[in-house]
């Protein structure tokens, strides 16, 4: 069985979702990934995308550390 490197798979998924789920993958601020081997499952990718509330994020970050967004 041939598996890709996890970082290469992440890049592939982010590139595929750019322009579909988000305008630019530079906007992705959190990413979790793992490769699981399970003989009873077909190969595939599961993606959970959760929108964040920009106002809640802005309130949680001290003003001295805020970027331009």
């Amino acid at each position: 069985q041939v598996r890709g490197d996890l970082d290469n798979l992440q890049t592939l998924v982010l590139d595929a979702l750019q322009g579909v789920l988000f305008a630019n993958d530079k906007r992705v601020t959190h990413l979790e990934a793992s490769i699981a081997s399970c003989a009873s499952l077909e190969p595939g990718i599961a993606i959970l995308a959760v929108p964040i509330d920009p106002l809640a994020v802005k309130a949680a970050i001290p003003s001295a550390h805020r970027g331009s967004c």
Side-chain angles (χ1 to χ4, degrees):
Q1 179 179 355
V2 177
R3 292 190 323 197
D5 292 335
L6 185 56
D7 60 333
N8 292 337
L9 293 172
Q10 286 179 195
T11 300
L12 177 71
V13 170
L14 287 173
D15 288 348
L17 293 176
Q18 188 165 286
V20 177
L21 190 59
F22 40 78
N24 188 311
D25 62 3
K26 291 180 182 179
R27 303 286 295 171
V28 175
T29 59
H30 182 84
L31 179 67
E32 292 183 30
S34 63
I35 295 177
S37 297
C38 185
S40 64
L41 294 177
E42 291 292 319
I45 295 174
I47 299 170
L48 172 63
V50 180
I52 59 171
D53 179 357
L55 297 177
V57 171
K58 191 171 185 178
I61 301 172
S63 60
H65 293 95
R66 287 186 191 151
S68 60
C69 45

